[in-house]
Amino acid sequence: MSPVRSRGVDARPRPWALLSAFLLVLFVLFLAAFAVAERGLTPKLGIDLQGGTRVTLIPIGQPDEQDLRLAQDIIRDRVDGLGVAGTSVVLEGSNIVLTVPGEDSSQARDLGTTSQLTIRPVLQTQPVSEGDLEPVAAAKGDREAVAREVAAAREVRQGDPAELAETLATFRCPERDVLAGFDDQSQALIACGEGAKYVLGPVPLLVGEPEDGERLDGQQIVKDSVSSGFSQQAGQNEVSFRFAAGPGDQGSATWSQLTQEYLQQQIAILLDGSVISAPVVQGVTPVGSATSITGSFTMDEAASLAANLRYGALPISFEDPNVDNVPASLGLASLDAGLLAGAIGFLLVLAYSALYYRLLGVLAFISLALSFLLTYVTLVFLGYTVDYSLDLAGIAGLVIGIGMTADSYVVFFERIKDELRDGHRFRSAVPRAWKSASRTIVTGNVVSLIGAVVLYLLASGEVRGFAFTLGLTTVMDVFVAFTVTWPFVYLASTRSTFAKPWANGMGRMSTLQAAAAEQRRLDQAEERERDQTSGRGVSATINGPGGATATLPRSDRPATDEEEGR
């Protein structure tokens, strides 16, 4: 008896609906990729494939190894937070070296900024004409010269606020701020910003702290509260954050007290010694509320600043970085070899599929090609939205994932063979086989996806690129199996052509099916004969001593070993 289905539940396969869903997703992804791509439908390539930029960060002073490794970890967290694929962060002696794909080194420079956020009240301000900057010679690698520059800058730019106000009129903003990250927070400071120079008061002490205690800076920011975006109200990009207000945290209370003390006055927000925003306080910020920084930065700069604030300031400062270009000759040769190997692999898969599964194999190959196309468009889209770069390790994950897609239709076709072997016709065998094969496909891909996710979370650098493409192709495999492979094969099963052995490559199953049917016929005939014999009864005559005879009914029990003469 067939199971009773509730009314309203239609269990019929809907191949055209599934195919339409796939085409809709593919069409939307194509449109999205065209909308964001800057160089046509070409994915962004990693540093090993397109070359890149090497940025060497030379620390100022003599940092210990612990600070260097902490700075390396923070920069790596910033890289992961921005999704800058293909970037490596390594220690080379006392330097930190970043390699990023492409020739644009601005992102790597931003990753290496100290990002020390401080807040100071504005005591006096004067405008600065554009381009009126004091040239400062770079003293790269000369640690003693850098130390002398910092001491000289403190002598001029820090001290008594009244004296600094007199100095401000003749002060010229330096092209390169040697005092960035090295200013004394307990003293007033001359700093420069966009179109203005300022005399700023000392960094406020946290509420309840002694004179030499902790002061209000980026360390009190709640990391998860940092975000960036466009402010409709200010008409500029902004970075929003919130100071900590929990037990033992006085950041938010200090900020609230500062806004109350300087109501209708300017407060400067500095990043690495440079004023990035100096708003007039319009109202008191309640304890625990968020605040925001607006400025003339772009959306990318706002996102970079948010990531730097989220992962904290670097414990050390760096000189102006050295920037070198990295060629991609080796990677391009590997890419050509990989593309050739991939093309040969696709042709071999087509030949194997056509040989073993004939027309069904061709359908499976079309599914495979569509899966690759969907994955490729997705990689293009991700390259221009989350800055994902495809490197050699990513291509390896892509090839393995495509191979796993081929495994899915092999599982499906072998299940069809099982159903044919059990005596089902081709048309009824396909949906029965898909019922069990779909569970196997989902289970196998979920296991692969878990492995890819764990690898992505635990690994770093190029290994993460491998894990990402492996996980992406695994998801695409399941999606294509349900929306393309299954509808294709189901529609084929409704055509009499595909039921023929020369079309589906399952002729041996027909032979096995006929043999199984013949065996079942023989078994049934033997069983019927045995039943008839048991119904009539069989007697045996035994001649006893003296000619007496006795007729005994035949026993149906099986003979013992002694009776069979064993």
Side-chain angles (χ1 to χ4, degrees), residues 3 30 58 165 218 226 287 297 336 344 374 421 481 495 501 519 566:
F30 257 108
I58 304 173
V226 182
V287 176
F297 27 72
D336 292 339
I344 294 174
L374 187 67
R421 192 180 295 113
R495 306 289 181 182
Q519 184 61 42
R566 297 171 185 163

Side-chain angles (χ1 to χ4, degrees), residues 124-434:
Q124 189 174 349
T125 180
Q126 287 187 6
V128 174
S129 58
E130 187 177 356
D132 184 17
L133 300 174
E134 179 74 21
V136 178
K140 291 184 178 181
D142 188 346
R143 300 184 189 280
E144 294 182 358
V146 171
R148 288 195 296 272
E149 285 181 348
V150 171
R154 279 183 179 174
E155 186 71 24
V156 175
R157 296 170 54 187
Q158 291 208 266
D160 182 68
E163 295 179 359
L164 294 179
E166 295 177 0
T167 306
L168 186 64
T170 57
F171 180 78
R172 296 184 69 197
C173 291
E175 286 182 339
R176 182 174 60 88
D177 191 356
V178 297
L179 206 53
F182 290 95
D183 57 305
D184 185 347
Q185 295 187 356
S186 65
Q187 293 186 8
L189 170 73
I190 294 180
C192 296
E194 191 70 26
K197 52 187 177 182
Y198 306 85
V199 174
L200 306 174
V203 177
L205 283 164
L206 292 179
V207 173
E209 290 286 328
E211 189 61 30
D212 57 348
E214 193 174 356
R215 295 176 183 269
L216 183 64
D217 58 19
Q219 300 300 320
Q220 282 79 46
I221 291 176
V222 179
K223 308 306 178 190
D224 295 338
S225 69
V226 182
S227 62
S228 63
F230 183 77
S231 171
Q232 298 288 349
Q233 185 177 3
Q236 292 178 307
N237 294 312
E238 68 173 9
V239 177
S240 300
F241 56 86
R242 178 166 47 84
F243 287 106
D249 295 320
Q250 297 298 331
S252 184
T254 306
W255 172 249
S256 178
Q257 179 177 300
L258 191 66
T259 57
Q260 185 175 14
E261 185 178 351
Y262 287 90
L263 189 63
Q264 301 301 327
Q265 299 180 54
Q266 278 185 291
I267 291 179
I269 299 172
L270 299 90
L271 188 70
D272 294 339
S274 179
V275 178
I276 59 173
S277 182
V280 175
V281 178
Q282 302 293 339
V284 177
T285 302
V287 176
S289 298
T291 187
S292 62
I293 305 171
T294 57
S296 58
F297 27 72
T298 65
M299 185 67 79
D300 289 340
E301 290 171 341
S304 177
L305 173 59
N308 290 3
L309 294 179
R310 187 177 300 117
Y311 297 107
L314 298 180
I316 52 179
S317 298
F318 298 95
E319 301 176 7
D320 285 347
N322 292 324
V323 180
D324 301 307
N325 292 325
V326 180
S329 55
L330 179 61
L332 289 176
S334 301
L335 177 62
D336 292 339
L339 292 177
L340 178 61
I344 294 174
F346 259 96
L347 292 177
L348 290 176
V349 169
L350 175 60
Y352 176 85
S353 303
L355 178 64
Y356 279 88
Y357 303 113
R358 312 292 170 81
L359 294 182
L360 288 182
V362 175
L363 293 180
F365 184 79
I366 294 174
S367 302
L368 193 64
L370 290 175
S371 175
F372 177 78
L373 181 61
L374 187 67
T375 305
Y376 180 85
V377 175
T378 304
L379 290 177
V380 174
F381 176 74
L382 294 177
Y384 293 95
T385 51
V386 298
D387 206 21
Y388 172 78
S389 299
L390 183 64
D391 53 16
L392 281 176
I395 290 178
L398 198 61
V399 172
I400 293 176
I402 295 296
M404 293 170 61
T405 304
D407 288 344
S408 296
Y409 72 73
V410 170
V411 169
F412 185 19
F413 293 165
E414 292 302 314
R415 293 287 187 183
I416 295 177
K417 285 184 178 180
D418 292 340
E419 296 297 332
L420 291 175
R421 192 180 295 113
D422 290 343
H424 298 285
R425 292 183 304 157
F426 181 73
R427 181 164 185 169
S428 62
V430 168
R432 295 174 66 91
W434 173 249

Side-chain angles (χ1 to χ4, degrees), residues 26-37 41 377 380-381 384-385:
L26 184 63
F27 178 71
V28 170
L29 273 176
F30 257 108
L31 284 183
F34 267 118
V36 299
L41 286 179
V377 175
V380 174
F381 176 74
Y384 293 95
T385 51

